[in-house]
Amino acid sequence: MKLVGLAASPGTVQGRVLWMNRTSKDPSSPFETLSLTTLRERSLRTLEDLKLASDSPILRDVLQAQLLMAEDPLLWDAIAERLATGIPLTDAIRQSIDMIAEQFSKMDDPYIAGRADDIRDVGQHILAQCESTPPAQLWPATEPRILVSDTLFPSDTAKIDLTRVSAIVLSQGSLTSHVTILARSLQIPAVIAGDIRRWLHDDDVITVDGFHGIVTDEPPRPSVATAPPSRSAPIVHHMVYTKDGIAIRVEANVGSIKDAQEAKFYGADGIGLLRTEFFFGGDHFPSEDEQYAMLRAIAQEAPKSHPITVRAADIGGDKPLSYMDLPNDPNPFLGTRALRLLDRYPDLYLHQLRAVLRVSQEFPIRLMFPMIATIDDWFRCEAELQRALVSLNMPSCPIPVGIMVEVPSAVFLAPELARHAQFFSVGTNDLIQYLFAADRSVSALGSYYRPGDPALVRALRQIFNAATNAAIPVGLCGEMAGDTEYTALLLALGLREFSVSAPLVPVLKSLITTLAIADCQISYREMLEPHSA
Amino acid sequence: MLKHTVTLTNPSGLHARPAAVLVATAKAYVAQITLQYGDKTANAKSILSVLSLGAAQGSQIDIVIDGSDEVAAADALGTIFGNNLGED
C-alpha cells in the first residue's frame, strides 16, 4: 500500500492509525428545542472557552475569527429566515452554513475561498450545541497515534490532545488550510492523501512521510532527513542571506505537477532538480509533444522567473516500463540506465531534448545529464544535444547544460568535466550509494548513509574545487541538502545552491539566516582539510 | 451621511485578521457602515460580508457611514486604516 498526496507538513513518522470519531449523529437522536438567542449565546460561549483553553497562538487567531463568524448577523438572519418556513432548526443551520460556505468556496482569492472551511467548522460547532447528549470523545487516543480523518477543523484540534498526535493523514484539505499551518507550527508530519478510507483502518501500522507526501505500510526508508525540523519556520518568497551577507538559493526537488505547486507554495527559489521520469509513467513512450506539454505545465506551476533545472530522464535500472524492453540486469543500480540505454534506444533523449529546448524559448531552463561516468559519456550526451539543436534549426544551444555528479569516477574527472559543463549538481544519494558500495534499497545498510563521513566530505571538496577553478556554479540536490545537521558543513564547503523537498525550503532558509559562512569554515576546518585530521 | 475612500495598504488586504480588526471597530458604533468595492457592497459589522469582498492589497474601498455617531465612527475607521489594520 502506498498513497501519494500533498506533503502538508514535513517529518517522517511510523505509528498506529486512529480514526477520528466524527460519525454523523444518529438521525433519531434527540435535539433540544431552544431559542435562537439561547443557541447563539451558547455557541459563542463554548467557542470562547475553546479559544481561551488553546496553547497555540495560531489556533487562538483562527478561533477569534470563527467567533466573529459565529456572531455574524448574516448567518443568524439566514437561519431565522429558513426557520420561518417551518423546517427543523438543525436543517435551517445546515442549509444556511452550506449556502454561505458555497459562496465563499467560489471566490477567486484562494485564501478567501479557503475560509469556507472555517464557516463549515462554525456550523459543526453550532449544531453540536443543539444536541442534548454530550458528544462521544472525538479522538480517544491514550498514547501517541496517527490521527486519520476525512476532514479536520481548527475547533476539532482544540478538542483533542495534540501532544498525542504523532502524525496527521487527511483526505481533504490544502496547503493553506488552518490545520496544515497548525501542523507545521507544531512540527507534526502531515499528508493529505485523497481516498484513505479504503486503505487505512484503526490500528494499522503505517509510515507518514510528510517530506514527500507519502503514506505507506512499509517501514521508513533509511534516509538522513527523517528527523522533524528542529523548529517551525515561516515561508518566505525571496532569497535569503547568511549573517555575513552571502546570498543562498534554496530550490526544490520536483517530480510531479503537485511538487511544482508545493515548490511555489513553500517559497522555493526555483526548481533545482526536475526529475523527468514521471513523463514515462504512462502506457506508451511519451512523444515529444507530450513531454513538451508536461514540461510546460510544470513551468507554469513553478515559482515564476526562476530557473528550472531539468534532469534528462534517468530511466532503466530498477524501474521497469511496460512499453520498453529493458535489460534485466542483476544489479540495476550498476546496470543499463540513463544514457547507457542509448545503444538500445538511440532516440531515447532526442524527443526529450527537443521538448526541453522548445520550452526554454518561453521559460528559464537549465539542462543536466545524469549518470555521467566518463568523459566519453559527456561527449555522447553532447552529441545527442547537437542532434536536437540541428533538428530544430538552432545554431547554438540557448540554455546552460550541466552534469549531475553522482558516479565516483566523475569526482576524479571533475576538473576535466568542469571545462565542458556549464554547471554541476551533486546527487549525494547515488554518490553515497556508489562511494560506499551500499545499495540504497537495502534498509539494513542504512548506517552507511552518513553524509558527514570524511570520504564523502573529501569527494565533495574535490567537486567544489574543480568547479571553483573552472568558475562554474555547483548545486546539491540529494537528501543531504535538506538535512539541517549538514547545512553549516555545506556552506563551509562552498555550496550556494541547495535543492531540497519543498516542505524543507522554509526550514533551511530560516537556518541559513542564522549562520555566518566564516564561522562555518572555522568549525569545519578539520573536516575540510583531511591532512590535519 | 459621510463617505470616505481608502486604499488598502496592509499586505494581505481584507483577510481574516485585518477584517476582524475592521469589524470589531465598526461594531462599536450605531451608525450603519457600508463598504463598497467595485460592484460589491458589504456590511462592515459582518465578517462574512467583509471577507466576501475579496479585497486585496492596493484595492480602493469607499466607506459610507450613516447614523448619529457617524463622525466618531469615521474618525475611528480612519485611524485603523492608517495603522494598516494592525498589520506590519
Side-chain angles (χ1 to χ4, degrees), chain A residues 61 68-69 71-74 104 107 109 111-112 119, chain B residues 14-17 20 27 45-48 51-52 54:
Chain A
D61 273 356
L68 284 172
M69 290 180 184
E71 61 183 359
D72 200 296
L74 208 78
F104 268 76
M107 301 279 293
D109 182 335
Y111 172 85
I112 301 285
I119 294 155
Chain B
L14 280 182
H15 276 187
R17 205 200 297 212
K27 280 177 137 177
K45 295 178 186 179
S46 155
I47 186 130
L48 294 171
L51 281 175
S52 65

Side-chain angles (χ1 to χ4, degrees), chain A residues 148-189:
Chain A
V148 179
S149 181
D150 288 323
T151 55
L152 183 62
F153 291 122
S155 71
D156 296 333
T157 63
K159 292 173 201 152
I160 58 182
D161 182 355
L162 287 168
T163 60
R164 296 203 175 122
V165 180
S166 62
I168 298 171
V169 180
L170 302 176
S171 62
Q172 293 161 34
S174 73
L175 293 172
T176 48
S177 57
H178 288 315
V179 169
T180 54
I181 294 168
L182 186 68
R184 285 195 290 272
S185 80
L186 296 172
Q187 295 153 41
I188 300 173

Side-chain angles (χ1 to χ4, degrees), chain A residues 362-399:
Chain A
E362 228 183 315
F363 298 95
I365 281 188
R366 307 195 302 177
L367 170 71
M368 67 178 171
F369 289 103
M371 291 301 291
I372 300 287
T374 63
I375 303 283
D376 279 346
D377 278 351
W378 167 257
F379 287 136
R380 178 113 198 224
C381 291
E382 218 181 22
E384 290 303 312
L385 182 62
Q386 274 306 321
R387 270 178 80 201
L389 287 165
V390 168
S391 70
L392 288 170
N393 285 321
M394 289 182 169
S396 64
C397 186
I399 56 173

Side-chain angles (χ1 to χ4, degrees), chain A residues 47 51 56-69 111 115 118 121-122 153-155 157 177-179 181-182, chain B residues 16-17:
Chain A
L47 207 48
K51 187 187 90 175
S56 157
I58 293 178
L59 192 53
R60 274 202 302 275
D61 273 356
V62 170
L63 292 173
Q64 176 58 40
Q66 290 194 358
L67 258 173
L68 284 172
M69 290 180 184
Y111 172 85
R115 302 288 66 75
D118 284 312
D121 192 5
V122 168
F153 291 122
S155 71
T157 63
S177 57
H178 288 315
V179 169
I181 294 168
L182 186 68
Chain B
R17 205 200 297 212

